[in-house]
Structures are given as structure tokens and as C-alpha cells.
Amino acid sequence: IALNSEIGVRSGSAQYNWLKGELTLNVPCTLAIWHRPLFTSGPNQPNPDMQDIYRLLYDGNAEVVINGHDHLYERFAPQDANGRVDSARGIREFVVGTGGIPLYEPGPRRANSEVLLKTWGVLKLTLSEGGYAWDFVPVGSGSHDTGSGVCH
């Protein structure tokens, strides 16, 4: 699901209501993508405007959120919209702004941040029935980040 974090995202907005309708379809393995992250250790700071959308996705059993905005790579543990770890139903968030110039210096590391890298690269996602796998592929000799998750 592609969303726009630059327009109305609060509960009751047109985009929120559209997403609410989409989530009633009960599609397994839901992934959402938008620009400004709710959680980040980057200098742009977390975007609390996205909390209602994140909560709606959590309530709809979404698995993955991908964001950009901060020019770095960060992976968070599965968590709810309040930033509490939830290994059973939480959403795994990736911040992948690693095509941006310049790369950003991370700020203080946020709670539940599992990996934080300042290197250019791409996130390769492999989606399968019942799960997903990720591989952050750095440009040159930077650090990889690999793993997998299952669908709720």
C-alpha cells in the first residue's frame, strides 16, 4: 500500500478512511510505504503525524512499513504505533534513505532500533507466501543487514 505522508494522514482524513477500507479486505502480508517515518534515529526526527496511520495498519495486521526521508538505513524491531515491541503483531519498519546525498549523521538511537547504518545501498525484499526476507545491499564494502519475518 503506497501512502502520502505529505497530506492529511490523521484519523478521519480521506487517506485514512481509504486505508481503513482497504484493510477490511484482510489481505495477508501487508506492506505499506510512505516518505516521512514515524520512527527514526535520523536528524529529521520522528514524524508523529503518521501515528494514526501506523495504528490503523497495526490494527489491520500489517507486517512491514518502508520509509525514506532520513538519508541512512535503519531497521526497527516489530512494534506498535506507540513504539512498544510486539513480536507477535508488531510492524517492522525500515528507513531506507540511502540513495540520498549527502548521507546523514544519525542522532540519538531510538528505542527498538536494531540496525543503524550510514552507507549508500538498497533494500532488497523477497516476498513469499506467508513471509518476507530482507537484505540491505550496501554500495561497496559497507555492512549488510539480512533477516526474515513471517506474516501475521
Side-chain angles (χ1 to χ4, degrees):
I1 298 173
L3 299 169
N4 186 345
S5 61
E6 309 303 312
I7 63 169
V9 292
R10 295 287 189 178
S11 179
S13 69
Q15 183 172 218
Y16 179 94
N17 291 335
W18 172 83
L19 176 60
K20 189 173 183 180
E22 290 297 303
L23 292 173
T24 64
L25 301 175
N26 295 319
V27 175
C29 290
T30 301
L31 179 148
I33 186 169
W34 65 81
H35 186 65
R36 295 185 298 140
L38 174 58
F39 304 105
T40 180
S41 300
N44 286 316
Q45 301 296 310
N47 179 17
D49 289 350
M50 295 309 295
Q51 190 169 28
D52 289 347
I53 292 286
Y54 204 99
R55 184 173 292 112
L56 186 59
L57 287 163
Y58 176 84
D59 291 343
N61 292 314
E63 279 71 35
V64 176
V65 164
I66 300 173
N67 304 122
H69 198 51
D70 279 320
H71 299 180
L72 47 76
Y73 172 83
E74 188 166 22
R75 176 175 49 84
F76 286 86
Q79 56 190 338
D80 67 14
N82 294 315
R84 293 182 298 243
V85 171
D86 182 346
S87 58
R89 291 190 49 233
I91 298 172
R92 183 176 304 282
E93 181 188 1
F94 295 90
V95 178
V96 189
T98 54
I101 294 178
L103 291 172
Y104 292 171
E105 287 297 329
R109 192 132 175 209
R110 299 286 174 172
N112 309 323
S113 173
E114 295 182 320
V115 174
L116 180 58
L117 302 172
K118 180 186 170 185
T119 186
W120 287 291
V122 297
L123 178 64
K124 176 184 173 185
L125 287 173
T126 303
L127 309 176
S128 60
E129 189 172 329
Y132 61 95
W134 69 87
D135 183 11
F136 177 74
V137 182
V139 173
S141 61
S143 297
H144 275 260
D145 177 41
T146 61
S148 62
V150 296
C151 297
H152 304 125

